[in-house]
Amino acid sequence: MSKIKPSKGAPYARILGVGGYRPTRVVPNEVILETIDSSDEWIRSRSGIQTRHWANDEETVAAMSIEASGKAIADAGISAEQIGGVIVSTVSHFKQTPAVATEIADKLGTDKAAAFDISAGCAGFGYGLTLAKGMIVEGSAEYVLVIGVERLSDLTDLEDRATAFLFGDGAGAVVVGPATEPAIGPTVWGSEGDKSETIKQTVPWTEYDSTGKFPAITQEGQAVFRWAVFEMAKVAQQALDAAGITANDLDVFIPHQANERIIDSMVKTLKLPEHVTVARDVRTTGNTSAASIPLAMERLLATGEAKSGDTALVIGFGAGLVYAATVVTLP
């Protein structure tokens, strides 16, 4: 017989509040066209992107996270002292250690919350949400802050025609807390490491000095597109099945904001009904990796396109290749 006492957490978890931060500088396609041979029409037709936000020197990963988190905490109606865990998903915090989550936890005024970073690319928000749910149900925290934040402008090669127009900066955050009924469904997640070369950093940091060129993100566009459209639609359907609902039961679809053509293809493959609101934040925010889902969620709620209590399918996918999908009740 085990001598270990069973954990006592909440029966379920839910998203209680959401917040976002977009840098003040808005960058139209015309700025991108100064360094690549392309056109505004080509960029819009290939990605749907019209503008993106780029951070200035003061809009650091930590600063953007703190702004977004403050809004999420206020939206949840709790205080920072009640936060028991801070999870930050990012690939653009350039200090290997300490985790930026510890700085954020301190500056927000949490009471020594557990804090750590994760690196799961564009699926990072889904990974963080799953970890937060587990912490609350297990009983190691009552409220957990999940942040997706990126300064991808720091990792963008402005002369790379395939990627220069894609990336933006920003932070999105949610507060996850206890619930009396299911409000975050089972997560369907995984990785396909045999495809890791399709999205990658051009050179490791150890080779930066020898090449003289700052590392950037590169990808094999067509391979990523095919994988996202065909394989991620299957994962999205698995998440619906795991939650015990059908596409007809959905109110909102919030996929990773990578490319509007991918979003359109997934909508078609999943046969989503016309009543389902589809997030298209990519048009004005670009691809913000781990930040894209919470930023899109925040905008839909702020504009009234989605409302509290709506049932939403969220799915993130990207470098690794990794993915995570789940059904949630919107805060």
Side-chain angles (χ1 to χ4, degrees):
M1 181 177 178
S2 174
K3 297 179 181 179
I4 301 173
K5 292 172 61 177
S7 58
K8 293 182 178 180
Y12 307 105
R14 69 170 295 145
I15 300 173
L16 299 172
V18 60
Y21 180 83
R22 293 171 175 83
T24 55
R25 183 187 177 193
V26 177
V27 180
N29 288 338
E30 286 73 20
V31 172
I32 307 299
L33 296 174
E34 293 173 4
T35 53
I36 61 170
D37 179 18
S38 187
S39 69
D40 177 62
E41 191 278 331
W42 187 89
I43 293 173
R44 292 185 187 223
S45 65
R46 302 287 287 188
S47 68
I49 299 172
Q50 303 166 23
T51 61
R52 73 285 292 145
H53 296 255
W54 283 355
N56 60 34
D57 290 345
E58 287 73 41
E59 291 167 322
T60 64
V61 165
M64 292 191 293
S65 297
I66 290 166
E67 289 290 334
S69 298
K71 295 175 184 177
I73 292 168
D75 192 42
I78 65 169
S79 66
E81 292 86 350
Q82 292 174 273
I83 298 290
V86 177
I87 303 171
V88 177
S89 178
T90 185
V91 299
S92 48
H93 174 59
F94 295 150
K95 286 184 179 178
Q96 191 72 33
T97 192
V100 72
T102 58
E103 176 186 350
I104 294 166
D106 175 63
K107 290 185 176 178
L108 284 172
T110 68
D111 184 17
K112 301 179 181 178
F116 57 95
D117 298 351
I118 60 174
S119 177
C122 306
F125 177 74
Y127 275 52
L129 187 64
T130 303
L131 294 172
K133 173 186 173 183
M135 291 165 70
I136 290 159
V137 173
E138 187 270 339
S140 59
E142 186 175 11
Y143 300 99
V144 179
L145 183 64
V146 179
I147 304 166
V149 57
E150 301 292 2
R151 276 181 52 120
L152 293 182
S153 58
D154 292 335
L155 288 168
T156 299
D157 181 352
L158 293 178
E159 296 180 353
D160 181 358
R161 189 173 184 271
T163 62
F165 60 90
L166 286 174
F167 302 120
D169 304 337
V174 298
V175 171
V176 183
T180 56
E181 60 182 15
I184 301 176
T187 300
V188 178
W189 58 352
S191 64
E192 297 185 34
D194 61 315
K195 300 180 180 66
S196 61
E197 291 295 301
T198 55
I199 306 175
K200 64 181 181 180
Q201 185 173 304
T202 49
V203 295
W205 297 111
T206 51
E207 296 179 16
Y208 168 41
D209 288 340
S210 62
T211 63
K213 191 170 184 179
F214 198 77
I217 297 173
T218 184
Q219 69 174 28
E220 297 174 17
Q222 288 302 313
V224 172
F225 182 89
R226 288 192 298 270
W227 176 77
V229 168
F230 297 108
E231 297 304 319
M232 291 306 97
K234 296 176 186 176
V235 171
Q237 183 60 54
Q238 290 169 12
L240 291 174
D241 294 342
I245 67 171
T246 68
N248 287 326
D249 298 314
L250 282 178
D251 300 302
V252 185
F253 178 44
I254 311 177
H256 164 49
Q257 302 293 292
N259 179 308
E260 193 164 31
R261 290 174 63 211
I262 292 175
I263 294 171
D264 288 340
S265 295
M266 292 182 71
V267 168
K268 184 177 180 180
T269 303
L270 288 166
K271 299 179 180 178
L272 295 185
E274 289 189 8
H275 76 262
V276 176
T277 297
V278 180
R280 298 183 185 278
D281 194 43
V282 66
R283 294 173 178 173
T284 55
T285 306
N287 179 344
T288 55
S289 189
S292 79
I293 290 175
L295 278 174
M297 182 185 296
E298 183 260 352
R299 175 159 282 172
L300 288 175
L301 290 166
T303 60
E305 295 173 82
K307 62 183 185 298
S308 175
D310 278 354
T311 300
L313 169 63
V314 299
I315 178 169
F317 43 86
L321 293 170
V322 294
Y323 55 88
T326 188
V327 175
V328 303
T329 301
L330 295 182

